[in-house]
Amino acid sequence: MPPRPFGMTASVAAFGLLGSLVTACGSSESDATTLRLVAPEYGTGPATSSKAYWDKLTTAFTAAHPDKKVEVTLYPWADVDREVTRMVEADNAPDVALMGAYSDFAAQGSLYTADEVMSVRAEANFLRPLADAGSVGGALYGLPFVASSRLLFYNEELFDKAGAKPPKTWSELKEAAEALKKTGVRYPYALPLGPEEAHAEALIWELSNGGGYTDDSGGYNIASEQNTQTFRWIKENLVAPGLTGPVAPAKLNRQDAFDAFLRGEVGMVNGYPSLLHEAREKGMKVGTLRMPVSDTLGDEETPPAAGVADWMMAFRHDGNRELVTEFLNFVYEDKNLNEFAGRYHLLPATVSATEASQYASADHSAEQFLAALRSAQLYPVDEPSWLEISNTIKRNIGKAVAPSADPKAVLEQIAQQARDATQR
């Protein structure tokens, strides 16, 4: 399963969307006129299903290109990576796929580069951090579609009751958590290091201490001194004093942490735009700010926020380049991209769509997410082994803050698996 930044992991089969959804009339056209798209389901039920978006978009596309057809197949996020891999291995890759990873297919030579299937203007329009993350060897293979950055959320009512102030440094975060605990808050700081998305929470903390998953050369640096210091501080200052809640971090998944936040049981949690939307719909008073930094860095330094993107990729087939080009340039028009991003309270991946986004212009907090995204650091998705390593991190990083654990030993074990994966 690819990294899932946005939290919409509905079981599509439950409401009858699994499999092929044919848009336009018929599907028996030749490869040159029928485009096959595989995409994940972002919705949580029939009312929010991605099917409505793709139906509308493909209808508009075929109206503008009467001789062209589009077939859309939706899969749950838990399945889409595996299904596309299966198709590629069976020599039956779709023309276009949307998912959470791309570099393994790029390494196989299966993908078009952006300059082969997009206009110069469209290729230059991607937000720079996203374009960098989608590039291998200077060529853009992963076309960023929608994205998210992470900010620290805090429940303003719980903070007011505890007399806590929004933290700018780790020590201030600890002080706020202690004050929240004294007033009976179940999760003063929700630390989701469970297997659902532990690699995101870990990266947020690592960046706030000048670390991260890679070094300046792009190689894995998981067991760096900065990262070791980070997890040792979390263990000693938040987990050991019971400031991370009644559930052990290694057993707390992101969605459970978000649900607890929406119930008013969490003082602080790292989140993304859709969580802010849900909280406001419930009438909650929520503040957002950049992740507090370690006291070693000091609150005057601003390390990059963690960013995540989902990627479009175009598979090479004889005779499909022109059709793929027409389709992708249509998908990335501002109105189409913003309609999808707005539907799921995400951030569009292009400069012009960001500027045209009514969501951002109408909401200061949304602008905070966009500002963070412009300088964000993403997962090392350009490394073909990242999918394997991210799964290793998700399963194991929570052990680094367990009561009897040595954070350095846990990180070294993960780092060794990363070295092994890159050498295969």
Side-chain angles (χ1 to χ4, degrees):
M1 178 182 174
R4 185 68 214 117
F6 308 134
M8 286 159 282
T9 54
S11 174
V12 182
F15 51 95
L17 292 176
L18 184 61
S20 184
L21 302 171
V22 181
T23 60
C25 302
S27 60
S28 60
E29 309 295 330
S30 69
D31 288 344
T33 59
T34 300
L35 182 139
R36 293 189 300 137
L37 167 69
V38 173
E41 172 57 70
Y42 283 73
T44 56
T48 59
S49 170
S50 301
K51 180 180 184 297
Y53 172 82
W54 292 114
D55 280 351
K56 180 179 178 181
L57 181 135
T58 54
T59 297
F61 176 76
T62 53
H65 303 82
D67 58 333
K68 305 297 170 62
K69 314 295 179 185
V70 181
E71 294 178 357
V72 181
T73 303
L74 296 180
Y75 289 106
W77 266 104
D79 300 335
V80 67
D81 227 37
R82 180 178 63 251
E83 290 298 327
V84 174
T85 299
R86 178 186 59 78
M87 293 175 188
V88 173
E89 291 175 347
D91 197 25
N92 187 36
D95 297 288
V96 177
L98 172 61
M99 48 197 288
Y102 71 88
S103 57
D104 45 350
F105 302 123
Q108 297 167 17
S110 301
L111 304 180
Y112 288 112
T113 57
D115 61 2
E116 293 177 294
V117 291
M118 301 194 81
S119 69
V120 173
R121 183 173 181 271
E123 182 183 0
N125 196 24
F126 291 115
L127 291 169
R128 178 47 47 194
L130 305 183
D132 290 344
S135 298
V136 178
L140 180 61
Y141 290 95
L143 312 179
F145 185 60
V146 287
S148 170
S149 59
R150 302 301 172 89
L151 296 176
L152 183 71
F153 286 51
Y154 61 97
N155 184 313
E156 292 182 347
E157 293 183 359
L158 295 181
F159 263 62
D160 289 344
K161 182 179 178 181
K165 65 177 183 178
K168 294 183 179 180
T169 64
W170 285 3
S171 60
E172 291 179 359
L173 186 150
K174 179 183 179 182
E175 291 171 4
E178 290 172 336
L180 290 162
K181 184 178 182 181
K182 289 179 181 178
T183 61
V185 176
R186 283 173 57 83
Y187 297 87
Y189 178 86
L191 183 66
L193 293 178
E196 182 183 357
E197 207 196 23
H199 60 312
E201 183 71 16
L203 180 60
I204 292 167
W205 277 94
E206 290 167 358
L207 291 173
S208 69
N209 192 32
Y213 290 133
T214 58
D215 56 24
D216 291 340
S217 67
Y220 287 119
N221 197 26
I222 294 170
S224 67
E225 184 58 32
Q226 294 106 312
N227 292 347
T228 300
Q229 291 172 355
T230 295
F231 285 95
R232 185 169 290 124
W233 189 93
I234 294 171
K235 175 186 174 182
E236 294 175 355
N237 291 274
L238 295 181
V239 180
L243 300 177
T244 57
V247 177
K251 295 182 178 180
L252 181 64
N253 279 321
R254 180 213 53 218
Q255 191 58 52
D256 296 329
F258 284 5
D259 290 344
F261 182 79
L262 294 172
R263 292 194 300 268
E265 299 173 357
V266 171
M268 295 173 280
V269 66
N270 281 304
Y272 42 72
S274 59
L275 177 62
L276 183 61
H277 174 76
E278 291 182 73
R280 288 179 172 172
E281 279 200 329
K282 294 177 69 70
M284 295 178 66
K285 295 177 61 180
V286 176
T288 56
L289 67 159
R290 295 289 286 261
M291 177 65 187
V293 299
S294 70
D295 293 82
T296 302
L297 292 183
D299 62 5
E300 293 184 0
E301 293 195 40
T302 306
V308 188
D310 291 341
W311 309 95
M312 282 275 190
M313 63 210 74
F315 286 89
R316 293 181 177 275
H317 293 299
D318 290 341
N320 78 334
R321 180 175 168 182
E322 181 180 350
L323 178 56
V324 167
T325 298
E326 291 173 339
F327 182 73
L328 287 176
N329 283 283
F330 184 79
V331 168
Y332 280 94
E333 290 181 9
D334 290 349
K335 64 179 185 298
N336 295 328
L337 189 56
N338 268 329
E339 182 172 344
F340 189 93
R343 181 179 179 85
Y344 298 109
H345 307 285
L346 302 173
L347 306 177
T350 66
V351 174
S352 60
T354 295
E355 292 172 347
S357 172
Q358 294 180 356
Y359 167 58
S361 62
D363 189 326
H364 171 69
S365 295
E367 175 54 37
Q368 279 187 292
F369 285 105
L370 285 169
L373 183 62
R374 292 184 186 107
S375 60
Q377 182 167 321
L378 281 75
Y379 302 130
V381 289
D382 58 337
E383 168 55 59
S385 64
W386 170 244
L387 191 58
E388 177 183 346
I389 299 308
S390 66
N391 285 329
T392 299
I393 294 170
K394 286 188 282 188
R395 293 193 306 270
N396 295 286
I397 198 71
K399 300 174 184 176
V401 298
S404 60
D406 175 7
K408 181 69 171 179
V410 174
L411 294 179
E412 285 286 7
Q413 185 178 27
I414 297 172
Q416 182 59 54
Q417 293 183 57
R419 288 190 289 269
D420 293 343
T422 56
Q423 292 170 5
R424 282 200 281 273

